[in-house]
Amino acid sequence: MAAALRLPPLLSSRAAPTATTRRSRTTSSTLRVAAQLDDTTATTSTSSTPAPPAGFTPPVPKRFEVKPGQSSNIAGAALALPFRLGTGVFVLGYGVSLVDADQIPPDQYALEFQGRKVKETSKVGQCPRPTKPIEIYEFEGCPFCRKVREMVSVLDLDVLYYPCPKGGPTFRPKVKEMGGKQQFPYMVDPNTGVAMYESDAIITYLAKTYGDGSVPIMLKLGLLTTITAGLAMSGRSGKGSSYSPAKLPAQPIEIWAYEGSPFCKIARETLVELELPHLLHRLFLQHCTCSPKRQDFFKKYGLFQAPYIEDPNTGVKMFESASIVEYLRATYAA
């Protein structure tokens, strides 16, 4: 897997609304601020150490299987693919070709077709990579936030997400403190010191800084982009938008996922509703794209399936979206 990343410290407890003076607002869309969370907004109480439910055992991963009772959830989450024409499923400059099987190392994951193997290529390896993960404050049920998530997927960037569901007591106030208003998405790049609101501005910045400057057509259609991004979430009836009381973990949960997966979407909705910070590693569907992280994942776990989470607060590592949702709620819901 990729080398360990240094993450900013998190609050040790949920923040309560305070009457402290906020920083003066700025009219500039780009701010140069530190996104590090400190203890100035934390209450004096501390959270109990999270623990998985008694007797909890991670489920055995089962490929292409939908847990009983989850079919409607998966179908609703899958609406994003047709409405957004798969934007965020393919990485920058993705291409495929059929080659002789001996041209692919035997320990490297590759699809086979009529005795030959599929060789996948992209431009991602030619683009600058951030040393520290980009930090984005957003929530799953926001069409403007979805646009940025799709661009992040195209560029195959790891992102540290600070969920900002409606009514969330921790990160929504933090965004107002840093930028002067509660508007989402809000991006902070610790590699350059740049911070900004406005989804289109963030997309352009990411394309120029960590890509080749190009933006997928479905992300530059103006109002049509926003409308289709909203329709993409219509099957989930606002899931991933509102806060559900929860305990704040000391460290971000790590999740391997990709934007186009309905299974990953369901897991992310719960992370957002519980306001659980999470470091998201892009891990694409095997038949759709090539990602440098995919081969590392395959070597380590012997299979390719998403979502997958590792919780450094409890030591739990697990597959299966429905079980991940149950685990997160059992462990962190207040």
Side-chain angles (χ1 to χ4, degrees):
M1 305 301 286
L5 297 167
R6 293 179 61 85
L7 304 180
L10 300 179
L11 299 176
S12 60
S13 61
R14 290 292 177 192
T18 65
T20 56
T21 303
R22 301 294 185 187
R23 297 180 185 178
S24 59
R25 298 191 178 190
T26 175
T27 57
S28 171
S29 63
T30 302
L31 308 171
R32 296 195 175 272
V33 299
Q36 300 271 326
L37 295 179
D38 53 43
D39 59 5
T40 59
T41 56
T43 60
T44 55
S45 62
T46 57
S47 319
S48 58
T49 302
F56 172 80
T57 301
V60 176
K62 299 177 181 179
R63 300 184 65 187
F64 309 116
E65 182 174 313
V66 178
K67 193 172 182 177
Q70 292 295 313
S71 296
S72 60
N73 289 330
I74 298 302
L79 284 178
L81 287 172
F83 278 122
R84 295 295 298 143
L85 300 181
T87 308
V89 172
F90 297 91
V91 290
L92 181 68
Y94 172 73
V96 296
S97 60
L98 281 176
V99 300
D100 293 335
D102 59 6
Q103 293 187 34
I104 305 292
D107 63 340
Q108 181 174 319
Y109 182 86
L111 296 173
E112 295 188 16
F113 181 74
Q114 295 184 347
R116 307 185 77 190
K117 289 192 174 183
V118 177
K119 181 179 180 180
E120 299 173 289
T121 59
S122 78
K123 294 181 180 179
V124 168
Q126 306 166 24
C127 299
R129 300 287 86 186
T131 302
K132 301 176 182 178
I134 309 298
E135 299 167 16
I136 298 180
Y137 296 74
E138 55 95 67
F139 59 99
E140 182 71 23
C142 166
F144 301 99
C145 299
R146 181 181 178 88
K147 290 164 55 180
V148 172
R149 293 198 305 271
E150 288 178 349
M151 189 65 202
V152 164
S153 291
V154 168
L155 297 175
D156 195 25
L157 298 174
D158 289 346
V159 170
L160 179 56
Y161 284 105
Y162 290 106
C164 298
K166 297 173 184 176
T170 308
F171 302 118
R172 276 187 171 244
K174 189 65 181 181
V175 168
K176 186 175 182 180
E177 179 183 333
M178 291 191 296
K181 54 185 175 181
Q182 289 190 18
Q183 178 178 310
F184 307 95
Y186 181 70
M187 182 211 72
V188 176
D189 186 347
N191 304 281
T192 62
V194 169
M196 61 174 65
Y197 294 100
E198 301 296 340
S199 57
D200 289 338
I202 294 171
I203 288 169
T204 299
Y205 168 81
L206 292 174
K208 291 180 177 179
T209 308
Y210 300 111
D212 62 0
S214 63
V215 175
I217 184 65
M218 285 297 289
L219 286 172
K220 54 182 182 181
L221 297 178
L223 181 60
L224 182 59
T225 294
T226 304
I227 290 173
T228 56
L231 290 173
M233 297 177 288
S234 60
R236 295 299 293 146
S237 303
K239 295 289 186 180
S241 297
S242 299
Y243 176 64
S244 180
K247 301 182 287 289
L248 183 68
Q251 299 181 64
I253 293 167
E254 293 193 63
I255 178 170
W256 282 257
Y258 60 98
E259 187 62 30
S261 165
F263 299 94
C264 297
K265 178 174 176 56
I266 289 172
R268 261 254 322 161
E269 287 172 351
T270 302
L271 286 166
V272 170
E273 290 173 354
L274 298 176
E275 208 185 31
L276 301 176
H278 50 284
L279 177 62
L280 195 151
H281 305 279
R282 303 289 152 183
L283 189 65
F284 293 94
L285 180 64
Q286 57 201 22
H287 298 112
C288 290
T289 189
C290 59
S291 166
K293 304 166 193 143
R294 189 179 67 184
Q295 182 63 22
D296 293 336
F297 190 91
F298 181 71
K299 284 183 178 180
K300 184 173 182 178
Y301 300 106
L303 75 161
F304 185 87
Q305 184 173 318
Y308 169 77
I309 69 166
E310 292 188 357
D311 188 345
N313 304 284
T314 63
V316 167
K317 302 177 182 181
M318 63 186 297
F319 293 91
E320 297 296 328
S321 58
S323 297
I324 288 173
V325 169
E326 293 173 357
Y327 162 77
L328 292 173
R329 293 198 178 280
T331 305
Y332 291 103

